[in-house]
Amino acid sequence: MTEALFDQLRHGVIEGEPDEALEATNALLELEVNPVVILEDGLTRAMMELGAMWKRGDAFLPEVVAAAEIFTLCNARIEP
C-alpha cells in the first residue's frame, strides 16, 4: 500500500498535481511512515526524476517550477 502512495506522490510532483501529491503525503503520514522516508523516497526522488527529464529535454521550466512549489507544499506538511 505504501509503495502505491509513494508512486502517487511522485506522480503528483512530476505531473504538477498538488492535490494528488498532498493526498499521498497525508496518507503516508497517517500510516506513520517516517517523514524522512517520505522526503527522500517520495519528494526528493520525484525531483531527481524531473531533473533527469529536464536534462533529456523532456521537461521544461514551467513543470520544474510547479514541481518545486508542490515539493514546498508537501514539505510544509511533513515538517511539523
Side-chain angles (χ1 to χ4, degrees):
M1 165 128 186
T2 59
E3 192 55 41
L5 290 170
F6 277 108
D7 289 342
Q8 178 183 344
L9 174 55
R10 289 188 292 268
H11 182 267
V13 172
I14 292 169
E15 296 299 322
E17 299 289 340
D19 293 339
E20 182 179 355
L22 284 169
E23 179 183 311
T25 300
N26 289 331
L28 288 164
L29 289 170
E30 287 175 16
L31 291 171
E32 298 182 359
V33 174
N34 185 328
V36 173
V37 174
I38 299 170
L39 181 63
E40 291 175 354
D41 291 349
L43 296 171
T44 302
R45 187 168 153 197
M47 294 304 288
M48 297 291 284
E49 288 177 31
L50 190 59
M53 291 170 65
W54 169 272
K55 287 181 182 179
R56 290 190 310 265
D58 294 334
F60 302 96
L61 188 58
E63 289 128 333
V64 175
V65 171
E69 290 174 359
I70 294 168
F71 183 103
T72 301
L73 288 172
C74 292
N75 191 49
R77 178 68 180 98
I78 292 169
E79 278 185 2

